[in-house]
Amino acid sequence: MNIAVVGLSHKTAPVEIREKLSIPEPQTESAIAQLTSYPHIDEVAILSTCNRLEIYIVTSETEHGIREVTQFLGEYSKLPVISLRQHLFMLLHEDAVMHMMRVAAGLDSLVLGEGQILAQVKNTHKLGQQYNGIKTILNRLFKQALTAGKRVRTETSIGTGAVSISSAAVELAHMKVENLAACRVAILGAGKMSRLLVQHLISKGAQQIRILNRSRDRALELAKQFPDQPLDIQPLSEMMTVISQSDIVFTSTSATDPILDRAKLEMVLEPSQSLMLFDISVPRNVHADVNELANVKAFNVDDLKAVVAQNYESRRKMAQEAEKILDEEVEAFDVWWRSLETVSTISCLRNKVETIREQELEKALSRLGSEFAEKHQEVIEALTRGIVNKILHDPMVQLRAQQDVEARRRCMQTLQMLFNLDAEEQFS
Ligand SMILES: NC(=O)c1ccc[n+]([C@@H]2O[C@H](COP(=O)([O-])OP(=O)(O)OC[C@H]3O[C@@H](n4cnc5c(N)ncnc54)[C@H](OP(=O)(O)O)[C@@H]3O)[C@@H](O)[C@H]2O)c1
């Protein structure tokens, strides 16, 4: 069995490609069902965020397993595999394990050290179990990665400053306009990212903030969290009117198609009216054609890279501290994994020797006669058990202690050959 991850991220694919491969939560069940229906995928977990889509698998045939995931990605995105491939990365076993740890710790994020990813990894773990994609091996891997992520957040200072995609977007807006207090700001959406937008906008001095959301209750809930700042709540149906009265618009909804495009803007904006749009959604909420309008400037998540670069330098040192923690967690997973590999050989050997012991014991007891057997059975039983355990003790300890994968496999093969064992790999 091998662990592999196939995916794409902000490091390998632009947002135009990433949004085609975003798997929203309601589609996770069917995606997992399709992936587990392939012949070489034994376990699967799907991590889909604005920065990445990663499919973790456990497979007995790595090459086939990876081909099946790639086929799935091609079908799902409706992109030819040949053009998709240039954006994909693939990592195997130790590299896949380390990658998952780095992702959970926020070290692979666009905004280094952002905290949202840990909750997203947790959700992936939950959904993977709920829809029967995650079994023994991925379960252990996700638990270890979540431990790693939590340790990095509590034992290093990488999470200080509450950085997120939202804070980076506000930072970019601040750089562009300088005086946020004078700007009329609108936010489309009232979810987690919108809440962070409001928080950072307020901290940068914004005073005129309007929230537009599909459901009014969620927007009111958001407003309640900022009792000291009046927030104007509007229904999404008022979107174009509110936009026409705004200088800056942030979009952070989970809509799967653009909700704003050139045609809609043209209808409400005066020809000389300027507008800045900051879209942190993936799939994007703002159609790329808005850039054709002379006075509209639109930015998406990939445009945050410039802001993030400054943040990166100051956090790089903290990331180095975090890497040490990740090494420990990878090692802990590896020890478990190695012990798993030896389980089938050890249990086969035990079964074989135990069967011999029972047969020989039975023969000896029948030769000794029923009177002797009844009187001394316990002692003889304990004697044979003791001999078997003592003989098996050293080979088992030695086998488990083999650190080197190849040396361990050679030991197992030798044991299987010498004792004529038929050790099928078992992981459950
Ligand atoms: N979470 C992150 O770490 C993160 C980071 C960067 C970017 N993003 C991106 O930011 C966006 C929002 O993420 P989130 O975590 O804030 O999500 P969330 O907490 O689940 O909130 C989703 C928001 O989108 C609205 N919405 C959903 N479907 C809609 C539709 N069809 N039309 C209009 N509004 C709709 C919801 O409105 P109702 O209240 O009416 O349901 C809600 O306000 C997503 O595109 C995500 O990929 C997320």
Side-chain angles (χ1 to χ4, degrees):
M1 288 290 172
N2 274 309
I3 295 174
V5 55
V6 182
L8 75 183
S9 76
H10 62 96
K11 291 182 175 167
T12 66
V15 66
E16 306 86 88
I17 300 290
R18 295 205 302 279
E19 67 187 356
K20 291 198 167 65
L21 274 158
S22 153
I23 302 186
E25 203 168 311
Q27 287 172 37
T28 306
E29 183 175 10
S30 62
I32 288 178
Q34 187 175 342
L35 282 157
T36 48
S37 73
Y38 290 116
H40 300 98
I41 297 182
D42 294 281
E43 296 190 37
V44 66
I46 299 170
L47 178 62
S48 178
T49 76
C50 63
N51 278 333
R52 66 191 69 247
L53 172 77
E54 296 184 349
I55 300 192
Y56 290 83
I57 56 166
V58 171
T59 172
S60 51
E61 293 283 345
T62 311
E63 205 180 306
H64 291 294
I66 286 179
R67 199 174 303 138
E68 286 162 4
V69 175
T70 313
Q71 182 190 331
F72 166 83
L73 293 174
E75 283 169 19
Y76 185 87
S77 63
K78 301 190 175 70
L79 292 170
V81 169
I82 197 136
S83 65
L84 185 59
R85 198 163 274 141
Q86 60 180 311
H87 299 293
L88 294 181
F89 69 86
M90 291 163 200
L91 296 168
L92 306 183
H93 196 60
E94 288 88 351
D95 295 334
V97 171
M98 181 46 114
H99 178 74
M100 165 161 272
M101 304 273 173
R102 298 190 83 252
V103 168
L107 299 194
D108 198 63
S109 294
L110 179 65
V111 181
L112 197 61
E114 53 106 5
Q116 289 71 37
I117 188 68
L118 194 57
Q120 289 164 333
V121 172
K122 208 172 180 176
N123 197 38
T124 294
H125 182 213
K126 190 190 89 186
L127 295 176
Q129 286 182 309
Q130 190 177 333
Y131 301 130
N132 301 319
I134 291 183
K135 293 175 207 149
T136 314
I137 296 175
L138 286 186
N139 183 39
R140 179 69 183 220
L141 177 59
F142 270 81
K143 281 188 174 161
Q144 203 86 50
L146 288 166
T147 304
K150 277 182 215 147
R151 281 191 63 198
V152 166
R153 298 203 73 70
T154 51
E155 295 174 30
T156 74
S157 31
I158 195 136
T160 48
V163 285
S164 61
I165 291 280
S166 296
S167 66
V170 171
E171 192 59 50
L172 182 62
H174 193 218
M175 277 162 57
K176 299 285 173 196
V177 300
E178 285 179 12
N179 185 10
L180 275 170
C183 291
R184 297 163 300 170
V185 180
I187 300 175
L188 308 189
K192 296 179 283 297
M193 296 318 281
S194 299
R195 188 185 64 74
L196 291 171
L197 283 172
V198 174
Q199 183 186 319
H200 290 286
L201 281 164
I202 293 172
S203 77
K204 294 275 181 208
Q207 287 170 1
Q208 308 167 63
I209 305 175
R210 305 174 95 177
I211 310 286
L212 294 107
N213 198 46
R214 208 174 43 174
S215 74
R216 187 172 166 77
D217 284 355
R218 190 135 174 209
L220 289 173
E221 200 52 46
L222 189 155
K224 246 199 251 161
Q225 295 176 42
F226 300 94
D228 300 332
Q229 177 91 11
L231 299 175
D232 181 25
I233 305 295
Q234 295 289 334
L236 209 54
S237 52
E238 290 302 307
M239 179 173 83
M240 294 321 296
T241 311
V242 171
I243 288 176
S244 70
Q245 298 161 355
S246 302
D247 305 301
I248 299 181
V249 175
F250 290 89
T251 52
S252 59
T253 83
S254 302
T256 48
D257 294 304
I259 51 179
L260 206 53
D261 57 18
R262 175 187 171 148
K264 284 184 185 165
L265 286 178
E266 262 174 341
M267 286 200 319
V268 296
L269 295 183
E270 298 296 330
S272 62
Q273 190 178 347
S274 335
L275 178 68
M276 274 195 223
L277 300 166
F278 296 88
D279 182 12
I280 60 169
S281 311
V282 182
R284 287 170 296 176
N285 286 173
V286 177
H287 198 287
D289 68 3
V290 300
N291 287 309
E292 294 159 12
L293 295 169
N295 294 319
V296 173
K297 286 204 175 72
F299 303 90
N300 63 43
V301 267
D302 283 356
D303 296 312
L304 301 179
K305 282 182 181 161
V307 191
V308 165
Q310 303 172 345
N311 161 293
Y312 188 83
E313 263 320 297
S314 60
R315 289 180 178 268
R316 211 162 46 91
K317 269 214 167 67
M318 302 177 202
Q320 280 163 1
E321 282 171 59
E323 300 277 3
K324 286 188 206 131
I325 296 175
L326 299 191
D327 284 341
E328 289 170 18
E329 295 300 327
V330 169
E331 174 63 18
F333 178 78
D334 213 44
V335 167
W336 175 81
W337 172 268
R338 273 189 258 124
S339 74
L340 198 63
E341 196 181 34
T342 56
V343 164
S344 58
T345 303
I346 288 177
S347 74
C348 248
L349 182 59
R350 272 212 158 279
N351 288 345
K352 176 137 194 175
V353 177
E354 180 60 15
T355 310
I356 296 171
R357 186 191 73 82
E358 282 172 1
Q359 286 166 351
E360 294 305 311
L361 178 68
E362 207 179 306
K363 273 194 237 163
L365 289 175
S366 74
R367 278 208 300 274
L368 290 167
S370 59
E371 195 183 328
F372 184 93
E374 264 169 41
K375 204 164 161 195
H376 300 291
Q377 181 162 358
E378 261 182 43
V379 178
I380 299 177
E381 179 109 36
L383 169 77
T384 55
R385 253 186 226 290
I387 293 172
V388 162
N389 286 343
K390 288 225 160 88
I391 291 175
L392 288 183
H393 179 75
D394 279 346
M396 292 199 182
V397 169
Q398 292 298 330
L399 180 59
R400 287 196 190 105
Q402 289 295 328
Q403 299 290 317
D404 180 68
V405 179
E406 285 311 315
R408 192 171 61 249
R409 289 195 176 144
R410 274 199 302 278
C411 278
M412 287 197 294
Q413 280 161 4
T414 307
L415 273 177
Q416 285 160 15
M417 193 262 291
L418 290 179
F419 286 88
N420 193 21
L421 303 176
D422 181 17
E424 295 258 304
E425 280 190 81
Q426 315 165 348
F427 289 96
S428 49

mmCIF file of all heavy atoms in Angstrom, residues 201-231:
data_model
loop_
_atom_site.group_PDB
_atom_site.id
_atom_site.type_symbol
_atom_site.label_atom_id
_atom_site.label_comp_id
_atom_site.label_asym_id
_atom_site.label_seq_id
_atom_site.Cartn_x
_atom_site.Cartn_y
_atom_site.Cartn_z
ATOM 1 N N LEU A 201 -11.141 45.560 7.929
ATOM 2 C CA LEU A 201 -11.511 46.891 7.419
ATOM 3 C C LEU A 201 -11.645 47.879 8.572
ATOM 4 O O LEU A 201 -11.158 49.010 8.507
ATOM 5 C CB LEU A 201 -12.824 46.802 6.629
ATOM 6 C CG LEU A 201 -12.686 46.267 5.197
ATOM 7 C CD1 LEU A 201 -14.041 45.855 4.627
ATOM 8 C CD2 LEU A 201 -12.032 47.326 4.290
ATOM 9 N N ILE A 202 -12.294 47.419 9.642
ATOM 10 C CA ILE A 202 -12.474 48.300 10.801
ATOM 11 C C ILE A 202 -11.109 48.670 11.372
ATOM 12 O O ILE A 202 -10.832 49.831 11.677
ATOM 13 C CB ILE A 202 -13.379 47.633 11.875
ATOM 14 C CG1 ILE A 202 -14.810 47.499 11.335
ATOM 15 C CG2 ILE A 202 -13.359 48.426 13.176
ATOM 16 C CD1 ILE A 202 -15.750 46.699 12.215
ATOM 17 N N SER A 203 -10.228 47.641 11.474
ATOM 18 C CA SER A 203 -8.911 47.941 12.064
ATOM 19 C C SER A 203 -8.100 48.899 11.185
ATOM 20 O O SER A 203 -7.197 49.561 11.660
ATOM 21 C CB SER A 203 -8.135 46.657 12.353
ATOM 22 O OG SER A 203 -7.612 46.153 11.164
ATOM 23 N N LYS A 204 -8.442 48.973 9.911
ATOM 24 C CA LYS A 204 -7.722 49.911 9.021
ATOM 25 C C LYS A 204 -8.487 51.234 8.883
ATOM 26 O O LYS A 204 -8.194 52.041 7.997
ATOM 27 C CB LYS A 204 -7.558 49.302 7.622
ATOM 28 C CG LYS A 204 -6.655 48.087 7.575
ATOM 29 C CD LYS A 204 -5.197 48.478 7.447
ATOM 30 C CE LYS A 204 -4.314 47.256 7.372
ATOM 31 N NZ LYS A 204 -2.981 47.462 7.878
ATOM 32 N N GLY A 205 -9.514 51.396 9.664
ATOM 33 C CA GLY A 205 -10.188 52.694 9.712
ATOM 34 C C GLY A 205 -11.435 52.845 8.852
ATOM 35 O O GLY A 205 -12.021 53.936 8.803
ATOM 36 N N ALA A 206 -11.867 51.808 8.162
ATOM 37 C CA ALA A 206 -13.066 51.938 7.311
ATOM 38 C C ALA A 206 -14.279 52.256 8.181
ATOM 39 O O ALA A 206 -14.444 51.698 9.272
ATOM 40 C CB ALA A 206 -13.294 50.652 6.531
ATOM 41 N N GLN A 207 -15.130 53.164 7.687
ATOM 42 C CA GLN A 207 -16.274 53.583 8.508
ATOM 43 C C GLN A 207 -17.620 53.347 7.844
ATOM 44 O O GLN A 207 -18.637 53.236 8.511
ATOM 45 C CB GLN A 207 -16.123 55.076 8.848
ATOM 46 C CG GLN A 207 -15.031 55.265 9.883
ATOM 47 C CD GLN A 207 -14.662 56.717 10.085
ATOM 48 O OE1 GLN A 207 -15.238 57.603 9.455
ATOM 49 N NE2 GLN A 207 -13.704 56.965 10.948
ATOM 50 N N GLN A 208 -17.593 53.293 6.525
ATOM 51 C CA GLN A 208 -18.884 53.107 5.823
ATOM 52 C C GLN A 208 -18.898 51.717 5.182
ATOM 53 O O GLN A 208 -18.415 51.539 4.071
ATOM 54 C CB GLN A 208 -19.035 54.156 4.736
ATOM 55 C CG GLN A 208 -18.828 55.582 5.236
ATOM 56 C CD GLN A 208 -18.678 56.529 4.076
ATOM 57 O OE1 GLN A 208 -19.599 56.690 3.272
ATOM 58 N NE2 GLN A 208 -17.529 57.159 3.948
ATOM 59 N N ILE A 209 -19.426 50.738 5.915
ATOM 60 C CA ILE A 209 -19.403 49.357 5.413
ATOM 61 C C ILE A 209 -20.840 48.850 5.254
ATOM 62 O O ILE A 209 -21.643 48.929 6.190
ATOM 63 C CB ILE A 209 -18.630 48.424 6.377
ATOM 64 C CG1 ILE A 209 -17.215 48.970 6.627
ATOM 65 C CG2 ILE A 209 -18.556 47.003 5.826
ATOM 66 C CD1 ILE A 209 -16.398 48.196 7.649
ATOM 67 N N ARG A 210 -21.120 48.327 4.064
ATOM 68 C CA ARG A 210 -22.453 47.740 3.829
ATOM 69 C C ARG A 210 -22.274 46.259 3.515
ATOM 70 O O ARG A 210 -21.375 45.883 2.768
ATOM 71 C CB ARG A 210 -23.144 48.446 2.657
ATOM 72 C CG ARG A 210 -23.219 49.938 2.880
ATOM 73 C CD ARG A 210 -23.772 50.624 1.663
ATOM 74 N NE ARG A 210 -25.200 50.822 1.793
ATOM 75 C CZ ARG A 210 -25.950 51.451 0.893
ATOM 76 N NH1 ARG A 210 -25.410 51.917 -0.222
ATOM 77 N NH2 ARG A 210 -27.232 51.620 1.086
ATOM 78 N N ILE A 211 -23.149 45.459 4.089
ATOM 79 C CA ILE A 211 -23.075 44.009 3.864
ATOM 80 C C ILE A 211 -24.286 43.588 3.043
ATOM 81 O O ILE A 211 -25.423 43.909 3.410
ATOM 82 C CB ILE A 211 -23.139 43.221 5.203
ATOM 83 C CG1 ILE A 211 -22.149 43.761 6.228
ATOM 84 C CG2 ILE A 211 -22.959 41.713 4.979
ATOM 85 C CD1 ILE A 211 -20.728 43.426 5.981
ATOM 86 N N LEU A 212 -24.038 42.852 1.965
ATOM 87 C CA LEU A 212 -25.157 42.318 1.172
ATOM 88 C C LEU A 212 -25.091 40.811 1.232
ATOM 89 O O LEU A 212 -24.034 40.222 0.955
ATOM 90 C CB LEU A 212 -25.032 42.751 -0.288
ATOM 91 C CG LEU A 212 -25.178 44.244 -0.493
ATOM 92 C CD1 LEU A 212 -23.837 44.854 -0.816
ATOM 93 C CD2 LEU A 212 -26.169 44.501 -1.601
ATOM 94 N N ASN A 213 -26.191 40.207 1.599
ATOM 95 C CA ASN A 213 -26.167 38.741 1.670
ATOM 96 C C ASN A 213 -27.501 38.175 1.229
ATOM 97 O O ASN A 213 -28.541 38.840 1.265
ATOM 98 C CB ASN A 213 -25.847 38.285 3.100
ATOM 99 C CG ASN A 213 -25.393 36.848 3.135
ATOM 100 O OD1 ASN A 213 -24.550 36.454 2.325
ATOM 101 N ND2 ASN A 213 -25.962 36.048 4.024
ATOM 102 N N ARG A 214 -27.450 36.926 0.780
ATOM 103 C CA ARG A 214 -28.652 36.227 0.333
ATOM 104 C C ARG A 214 -29.611 36.091 1.511
ATOM 105 O O ARG A 214 -30.746 36.525 1.459
ATOM 106 C CB ARG A 214 -28.206 34.851 -0.188
ATOM 107 C CG ARG A 214 -29.041 34.239 -1.235
ATOM 108 C CD ARG A 214 -28.389 32.981 -1.733
ATOM 109 N NE ARG A 214 -27.823 32.136 -0.683
ATOM 110 C CZ ARG A 214 -27.302 30.945 -0.893
ATOM 111 N NH1 ARG A 214 -27.258 30.440 -2.120
ATOM 112 N NH2 ARG A 214 -26.811 30.223 0.087
ATOM 113 N N SER A 215 -29.098 35.519 2.603
ATOM 114 C CA SER A 215 -30.008 35.402 3.757
ATOM 115 C C SER A 215 -29.733 36.550 4.736
ATOM 116 O O SER A 215 -28.576 36.810 5.092
ATOM 117 C CB SER A 215 -29.817 34.053 4.455
ATOM 118 O OG SER A 215 -28.615 34.049 5.179
ATOM 119 N N ARG A 216 -30.825 37.192 5.150
ATOM 120 C CA ARG A 216 -30.695 38.365 6.018
ATOM 121 C C ARG A 216 -30.177 37.971 7.408
ATOM 122 O O ARG A 216 -29.376 38.679 8.017
ATOM 123 C CB ARG A 216 -32.077 39.043 6.116
ATOM 124 C CG ARG A 216 -32.039 40.350 6.855
ATOM 125 C CD ARG A 216 -33.358 41.095 6.765
ATOM 126 N NE ARG A 216 -33.401 42.171 7.744
ATOM 127 C CZ ARG A 216 -32.784 43.332 7.615
ATOM 128 N NH1 ARG A 216 -32.081 43.581 6.531
ATOM 129 N NH2 ARG A 216 -32.866 44.253 8.562
ATOM 130 N N ASP A 217 -30.636 36.803 7.883
ATOM 131 C CA ASP A 217 -30.275 36.381 9.244
ATOM 132 C C ASP A 217 -28.761 36.288 9.424
ATOM 133 O O ASP A 217 -28.215 36.706 10.436
ATOM 134 C CB ASP A 217 -30.884 34.997 9.547
ATOM 135 C CG ASP A 217 -32.362 35.127 9.838
ATOM 136 O OD1 ASP A 217 -32.830 36.288 9.883
ATOM 137 O OD2 ASP A 217 -33.036 34.092 9.985
ATOM 138 N N ARG A 218 -28.107 35.720 8.410
ATOM 139 C CA ARG A 218 -26.647 35.549 8.532
ATOM 140 C C ARG A 218 -25.953 36.916 8.556
ATOM 141 O O ARG A 218 -24.988 37.114 9.297
ATOM 142 C CB ARG A 218 -26.143 34.724 7.348
ATOM 143 C CG ARG A 218 -24.714 34.283 7.482
ATOM 144 C CD ARG A 218 -24.596 32.849 7.091
ATOM 145 N NE ARG A 218 -23.237 32.376 7.067
ATOM 146 C CZ ARG A 218 -22.829 31.418 6.269
ATOM 147 N NH1 ARG A 218 -23.680 30.874 5.420
ATOM 148 N NH2 ARG A 218 -21.605 30.985 6.309
ATOM 149 N N ALA A 219 -26.470 37.843 7.767
ATOM 150 C CA ALA A 219 -25.874 39.186 7.743
ATOM 151 C C ALA A 219 -26.080 39.871 9.094
ATOM 152 O O ALA A 219 -25.175 40.541 9.618
ATOM 153 C CB ALA A 219 -26.497 39.995 6.621
ATOM 154 N N LEU A 220 -27.274 39.689 9.684
ATOM 155 C CA LEU A 220 -27.543 40.295 10.993
ATOM 156 C C LEU A 220 -26.629 39.690 12.056
ATOM 157 O O LEU A 220 -26.112 40.389 12.931
ATOM 158 C CB LEU A 220 -29.014 40.079 11.380
ATOM 159 C CG LEU A 220 -30.027 40.902 10.568
ATOM 160 C CD1 LEU A 220 -31.460 40.482 10.900
ATOM 161 C CD2 LEU A 220 -29.841 42.406 10.832
ATOM 162 N N GLU A 221 -26.453 38.388 11.938
ATOM 163 C CA GLU A 221 -25.566 37.664 12.860
ATOM 164 C C GLU A 221 -24.149 38.248 12.797
ATOM 165 O O GLU A 221 -23.501 38.475 13.813
ATOM 166 C CB GLU A 221 -25.560 36.184 12.423
ATOM 167 C CG GLU A 221 -25.114 35.172 13.456
ATOM 168 C CD GLU A 221 -25.860 35.317 14.777
ATOM 169 O OE1 GLU A 221 -27.106 35.447 14.798
ATOM 170 O OE2 GLU A 221 -25.143 35.330 15.778
ATOM 171 N N LEU A 222 -23.708 38.503 11.572
ATOM 172 C CA LEU A 222 -22.363 39.084 11.373
ATOM 173 C C LEU A 222 -22.304 40.479 12.021
ATOM 174 O O LEU A 222 -21.365 40.793 12.762
ATOM 175 C CB LEU A 222 -22.053 39.171 9.877
ATOM 176 C CG LEU A 222 -20.622 39.542 9.474
ATOM 177 C CD1 LEU A 222 -20.307 39.013 8.093
ATOM 178 C CD2 LEU A 222 -20.385 41.027 9.500
ATOM 179 N N ALA A 223 -23.330 41.278 11.748
ATOM 180 C CA ALA A 223 -23.342 42.652 12.275
ATOM 181 C C ALA A 223 -23.285 42.657 13.806
ATOM 182 O O ALA A 223 -22.646 43.520 14.421
ATOM 183 C CB ALA A 223 -24.582 43.387 11.778
ATOM 184 N N LYS A 224 -23.950 41.660 14.407
ATOM 185 C CA LYS A 224 -23.984 41.573 15.879
ATOM 186 C C LYS A 224 -22.583 41.419 16.476
ATOM 187 O O LYS A 224 -22.332 41.784 17.623
ATOM 188 C CB LYS A 224 -24.824 40.346 16.280
ATOM 189 C CG LYS A 224 -26.113 40.717 16.994
ATOM 190 C CD LYS A 224 -26.642 39.547 17.743
ATOM 191 C CE LYS A 224 -27.900 39.020 17.067
ATOM 192 N NZ LYS A 224 -28.224 37.656 17.462
ATOM 193 N N GLN A 225 -21.689 40.843 15.670
ATOM 194 C CA GLN A 225 -20.332 40.614 16.186
ATOM 195 C C GLN A 225 -19.485 41.893 16.208
ATOM 196 O O GLN A 225 -18.370 41.887 16.702
ATOM 197 C CB GLN A 225 -19.637 39.546 15.343
ATOM 198 C CG GLN A 225 -20.319 38.199 15.473
ATOM 199 C CD GLN A 225 -19.696 37.162 14.556
ATOM 200 O OE1 GLN A 225 -18.494 37.079 14.410
ATOM 201 N NE2 GLN A 225 -20.545 36.384 13.897
ATOM 202 N N PHE A 226 -20.033 42.963 15.637
ATOM 203 C CA PHE A 226 -19.306 44.247 15.632
ATOM 204 C C PHE A 226 -20.204 45.343 16.204
ATOM 205 O O PHE A 226 -20.624 46.267 15.502
ATOM 206 C CB PHE A 226 -18.855 44.595 14.199
ATOM 207 C CG PHE A 226 -17.942 43.552 13.612
ATOM 208 C CD1 PHE A 226 -18.449 42.519 12.829
ATOM 209 C CD2 PHE A 226 -16.582 43.590 13.878
ATOM 210 C CE1 PHE A 226 -17.611 41.544 12.310
ATOM 211 C CE2 PHE A 226 -15.734 42.616 13.365
ATOM 212 C CZ PHE A 226 -16.252 41.595 12.585
ATOM 213 N N PRO A 227 -20.523 45.225 17.500
ATOM 214 C CA PRO A 227 -21.502 46.154 18.092
ATOM 215 C C PRO A 227 -21.060 47.621 18.059
ATOM 216 O O PRO A 227 -21.905 48.516 18.081
ATOM 217 C CB PRO A 227 -21.642 45.645 19.536
ATOM 218 C CG PRO A 227 -20.456 44.785 19.785
ATOM 219 C CD PRO A 227 -19.986 44.276 18.479
ATOM 220 N N ASP A 228 -19.736 47.851 17.986
ATOM 221 C CA ASP A 228 -19.267 49.243 18.043
ATOM 222 C C ASP A 228 -19.219 49.914 16.674
ATOM 223 O O ASP A 228 -18.873 51.084 16.564
ATOM 224 C CB ASP A 228 -17.853 49.298 18.655
ATOM 225 C CG ASP A 228 -17.863 48.740 20.063
ATOM 226 O OD1 ASP A 228 -18.929 48.827 20.714
ATOM 227 O OD2 ASP A 228 -16.835 48.185 20.483
ATOM 228 N N GLN A 229 -19.534 49.138 15.639
ATOM 229 C CA GLN A 229 -19.430 49.711 14.284
ATOM 230 C C GLN A 229 -20.763 49.526 13.554
ATOM 231 O O GLN A 229 -21.191 48.389 13.335
ATOM 232 C CB GLN A 229 -18.339 48.961 13.505
ATOM 233 C CG GLN A 229 -18.176 49.406 12.080
ATOM 234 C CD GLN A 229 -17.145 50.531 11.947
ATOM 235 O OE1 GLN A 229 -16.414 50.832 12.879
ATOM 236 N NE2 GLN A 229 -17.113 51.160 10.795
ATOM 237 N N PRO A 230 -21.436 50.621 13.204
ATOM 238 C CA PRO A 230 -22.701 50.407 12.490
ATOM 239 C C PRO A 230 -22.450 49.825 11.096
ATOM 240 O O PRO A 230 -21.667 50.381 10.320
ATOM 241 C CB PRO A 230 -23.290 51.821 12.405
ATOM 242 C CG PRO A 230 -22.173 52.754 12.701
ATOM 243 C CD PRO A 230 -21.075 52.011 13.389
ATOM 244 N N LEU A 231 -23.088 48.685 10.807
ATOM 245 C CA LEU A 231 -22.954 48.069 9.484
ATOM 246 C C LEU A 231 -24.319 48.107 8.822
ATOM 247 O O LEU A 231 -25.317 47.723 9.441
ATOM 248 C CB LEU A 231 -22.494 46.607 9.603
ATOM 249 C CG LEU A 231 -21.132 46.334 10.255
ATOM 250 C CD1 LEU A 231 -20.887 44.835 10.393
ATOM 251 C CD2 LEU A 231 -20.020 46.963 9.432
#
